[in-house]
Amino acid sequence: MTEFTELLELRECCPHLVMVVGKGGVGKTTVAILIAIELSRRGKTLLLSLDPAKHIVKYLGLTREDLEEIEGGIHVRYVSIEREVSSITSRYADLVRELMPSLSVLNLDSVVDVIKYSPGVEEEVLLRKLKEALSSDFNYVVVDTPPTGVTLRTLILPRLYSIWLNKLIEIRERIVSLRYVIARTMKRNTDVRDRALLKLYEMRDDFKNIDSVLSSESRSSYVLVATPEPLPMYELRETYEFLKNKLSVKPKLLILNKVIPDELAAKLGVLAIQQNFLEELKSFGVSYAVIEHLGRPTENLSDIKALKEKIKVFK
Ligand SMILES: Nc1ncnc2c1ncn2[C@@H]1O[C@H](COP(=O)(O)OP(=O)(O)O)[C@@H](O)[C@H]1O
Ligand SMILES: [Mg+2]
């Protein structure tokens, strides 16, 4: 039987990122677990769940949120984005308190609230988690992603940051050179090294690096999952276009999950729509897989393993 991972062309690692993307409920977590099981036979594998739905906790019977090793040697980490956002914003508040004690007359808690609910904070936290995983010593990192919109915004964030950083660097370089000229004119010694500027350079390199990993087909593999229904297929199409146009990458694998056997689909009157979606999937010219509906929801790891018998992959 062809394995999923034979289709991913895992040419380069360390770590090689496998991003499982799709609409909520299509089976991202399930697929991420299946892929992680396969990969863990090839190398040290981290299954990183950033999906707020928390299904992974139930499927794998996790007892804690930090790193946990389950059978088969897979390392699993479930990250609660909500908790991470809270902890990061309160750290920022402490920093503000320390740097600007005069601000404590204001109600800092309300400042924290504003940051917490600001657009983009979730994406920032996700990006940090991806960065952390990328600097780990795992061979493979399989990411069970949050809702598609958040995921796509996170993927483009390093580029957005780079634009901002380039602008900030330009301004800071001007300040530093003017400071130098003034000091020279006044015959004073001045240090040309500027800590803020060095920090900005470092940040720019960092984001450039993560962007190059995310937009490299040899370092990252995108797996798009949908069910044979209009909305999940719509999101798959949108994600495909996004990856192509913004990151210049093609997904390695498209998966149609919860496919009903033809005979039953005909009885239910959904055979034609199911076949249409399957035809559409083929038309992308990318390897694809079909996973049959188990007939009941998958409740635990052994149900998920039972799904292996229901997978057909096509190169
Ligand atoms: N092939 C399948 N057959 C039956 N149930 C499935 C299948 N794939 C997923 N499920 C069920 O669908 C629901 C959503 O799956 P999940 O993997 O948590 O999706 P997501 O992570 O995309 O939200 C769960 O109840 C899961 O048990
Ligand atoms: Mg999930």
Side-chain angles (χ1 to χ4, degrees), residues 173-191:
E173 280 174 343
R174 233 175 19 236
I175 293 172
V176 172
S177 68
L178 282 175
R179 210 170 49 194
Y180 181 72
V181 171
I182 292 169
R184 285 281 303 266
T185 320
M186 300 179 76
K187 301 209 169 5
R188 271 200 220 131
N189 276 336
T190 176
D191 190 355

Side-chain angles (χ1 to χ4, degrees), residues 78-125:
Y78 170 76
V79 175
S80 159
I81 296 298
E82 207 181 325
R83 249 210 358 226
E84 286 291 319
V85 167
S86 291
S87 102
I88 286 179
T89 44
S90 52
R91 251 180 285 150
Y92 276 140
D94 288 343
L95 194 66
V96 171
R97 265 186 211 106
E98 196 187 312
L99 295 176
M100 291 178 273
S102 60
L103 259 188
S104 57
V105 287
L106 295 175
N107 182 0
L108 258 183
D109 290 337
S110 64
V111 177
V112 171
D113 259 0
V114 171
I115 302 174
K116 211 187 284 182
Y117 299 110
S118 293
V121 175
E122 253 183 357
E123 288 83 353
E124 161 66 22
V125 170

Side-chain angles (χ1 to χ4, degrees), residues 17-18 69 81 105 120 128 157 219 225 239 261 286 291 297 308:
L17 199 62
V18 179
E69 195 173 335
I81 296 298
V105 287
R128 281 179 192 214
L157 202 54
R219 284 293 308 272
V225 188
T239 307
V286 171
I291 308 179
K308 277 234 74 154

Side-chain angles (χ1 to χ4, degrees), residues 58-60 296-305:
K58 182 184 97 180
Y59 299 153
L60 302 181
R296 58 185 164 82
T298 46
E299 296 285 350
N300 48 40
L301 193 53
S302 66
D303 282 347
I304 291 175
K305 284 183 177 162

